Amino acid sequence: MAEAAWDPAAFRARVDEVLRRFVAEEADRLTDVDPSLGPVAEELEAAVASGKRLRAAFCYWGWRGGGQPDSDALVRAAASMELVHAAAVVHDDLIDGSPLRHGRPTAHRALRAAVPHHPRPAAAARSLAMLVGDLLMSLAGQLFVTSGLPAAFLSRARPLWAALARELIAGECLEILHTGTAPDTAASLKVIRYKTAKYTVEQPLLIGGALAGAAPRLGEGYSAYGLPLGEAFQLRDDLLGLFGDPVRTGKAAADDLRGRRPTALLAETWRLADTAQRARLGVLLDRDDTDPEDVRALMRGLKAPERVEHMIAARVEEALRALDELDAPPVALQALASLAHSASTRQC
């Protein structure tokens, strides 16, 4: 009998329920220490309240691609990938000073209300947000090891967890180090690869495969699919950050632009510009009151968005070619093909 097609909405609901229960219990334990920790506990729960659950899905299909059946314990382990993401988001918003995420104030903004009498309320709120992010990363490991999978399975993935954390932090550091420097496409793509691509697609797939006891060749195929797709995911995010609808993205318009972050979109604009256009771009980026539409117009004139769209399409094509070579059950291949589309064509 052919296996039923994957239902993404049903999978998200399973992951949401795992995260809701697990984080609610941890939030209660936090307020048991002292009721004044309530606002911190609320931000902990808010950090996992919504999401596309792509990272959990890639971990799940890394497991299923290794020939393993559906498993509630595996779904719990896969949900830990979303806690890694939640931690990264809180820290990233803090580093970037972003005011909005998913249409609500970011943790470091929301927590200002918890410290009205602090002599430096903004700094105190930032400190609280940093600790929320730290706790979320700790909880990710806790959920993973208490997922219910056998210890022997979990031990196979331990080295990959270390790599995930190291590479995620390396990418975040690279972004900080390159922010404000002359835009460079190669440098931007390296930031993308380490800050987002690996922990969004490749590492969850590899962790799922390792849990399943997959052969090294399957892991190589996961990387060949996961790295270009992860880069396509973040390149789409770069475009949405400036050209997307803030109502749908839930983020402040032109946040990346005002922060002078080393996105591939900005780097390609710089590469395509002549001397006069570079001077104009520099003036626009240096002004706090610049209308983002002026930068958008310059980018459109240089066809930089089209160039990034081409980069996305090329990477999705590369990922799908790798999928054609992957020795995995048909249901897994179909799900991974669907995920490639979801990750690269989204509007939020």
Side-chain angles (χ1 to χ4, degrees):
M1 179 184 296
E3 197 162 1
W6 181 48
D7 183 345
F11 179 79
R12 283 196 301 272
R14 292 173 74 185
V15 173
D16 285 346
E17 181 63 13
V18 168
L19 292 172
R20 186 191 66 77
R21 287 179 176 272
F22 178 75
V23 176
E25 290 172 1
E26 292 299 326
D28 287 344
R29 292 188 180 105
L30 199 60
T31 54
D32 284 346
V33 173
D34 194 288
S36 66
L37 291 168
V40 178
E42 289 174 10
E43 287 307 306
L44 201 66
E45 293 188 270
V48 298
S50 62
K52 292 174 281 293
R53 311 311 187 201
L54 288 174
R55 293 156 187 86
F58 284 120
C59 184
Y60 177 84
W61 288 107
W63 162 271
R64 296 293 305 277
Q68 295 284 4
D70 179 69
S71 160
D72 288 338
L74 189 280
V75 171
R76 283 178 58 83
S80 69
M81 301 291 103
E82 298 300 327
L83 288 170
V84 171
H85 177 53
V89 164
V90 170
H91 284 151
D92 195 49
D93 287 341
L94 178 60
I95 291 166
D96 293 342
S98 300
L100 291 173
R101 174 74 67 164
H102 299 311
R104 68 179 299 275
T106 48
H108 64 277
R109 288 294 187 95
L111 285 165
R112 287 188 186 183
V115 286
H117 305 300
H118 196 283
R120 294 187 299 140
R126 290 174 63 84
S127 297
L128 288 173
M130 176 186 68
L131 294 168
V132 169
D134 290 347
L135 182 53
L136 285 163
M137 185 62 86
S138 174
L139 292 178
Q142 183 180 332
L143 179 58
F144 186 78
V145 299
T146 61
S147 62
L149 290 173
F153 287 29
L154 297 172
S155 67
R156 294 195 290 249
R158 189 173 296 124
L160 293 169
W161 265 90
L164 181 153
R166 178 175 60 251
E167 291 170 349
L168 173 56
I169 290 170
E172 191 71 69
C173 290
L174 284 172
E175 183 178 68
I176 294 168
L177 291 167
H178 285 293
T179 293
T181 63
D184 178 81
T185 300
S188 294
L189 290 174
K190 192 166 192 178
V191 169
I192 282 173
R193 173 163 288 204
Y194 284 93
K195 183 188 171 188
T196 304
K198 281 179 164 286
Y199 99 91
T200 297
V201 185
E202 183 199 28
Q203 292 288 8
L205 273 170
L206 290 174
I207 287 171
L211 291 170
R217 182 173 175 78
L218 184 61
E220 293 168 4
Y222 283 163
S223 291
Y225 162 87
L227 278 174
L229 181 58
E231 290 179 2
F233 175 90
Q234 184 56 41
L235 287 167
R236 175 63 61 200
D237 208 58
D238 288 353
L239 282 175
L240 290 173
L242 189 54
F243 291 93
D245 179 357
V247 174
R248 300 187 70 177
T249 64
K251 300 177 185 178
D255 208 18
D256 287 342
L257 187 65
R258 294 195 177 97
R260 295 289 295 269
R261 286 162 211 148
T263 66
L265 177 60
L266 180 59
E268 282 297 287
T269 302
W270 186 263
R271 185 182 67 80
L272 295 165
D274 60 24
T275 302
Q277 290 164 330
R278 287 184 177 185
R280 171 67 173 157
L281 180 60
V283 169
L284 291 173
L285 292 175
D286 286 340
R287 290 175 53 182
D288 292 335
D289 61 346
T290 290
D291 184 347
E293 188 53 41
D294 292 338
V295 182
R296 293 188 190 105
L298 179 59
M299 289 178 166
R300 289 190 189 103
L302 292 166
K303 299 190 182 301
E306 288 92 330
R307 172 59 188 155
V308 175
E309 288 284 4
H310 175 75
M311 294 166 71
I312 292 169
R315 282 160 174 77
V316 173
E317 183 179 345
E318 182 182 350
L320 292 176
R321 283 200 306 268
L323 204 56
D324 288 339
E325 302 297 320
L326 205 62
D327 183 16
V331 66
L333 296 175
Q334 292 164 8
L336 291 173
S338 175
L339 283 166
H341 177 78
S342 299
S344 60
T345 63
R346 71 192 198 284
Q347 296 299 310
C348 61

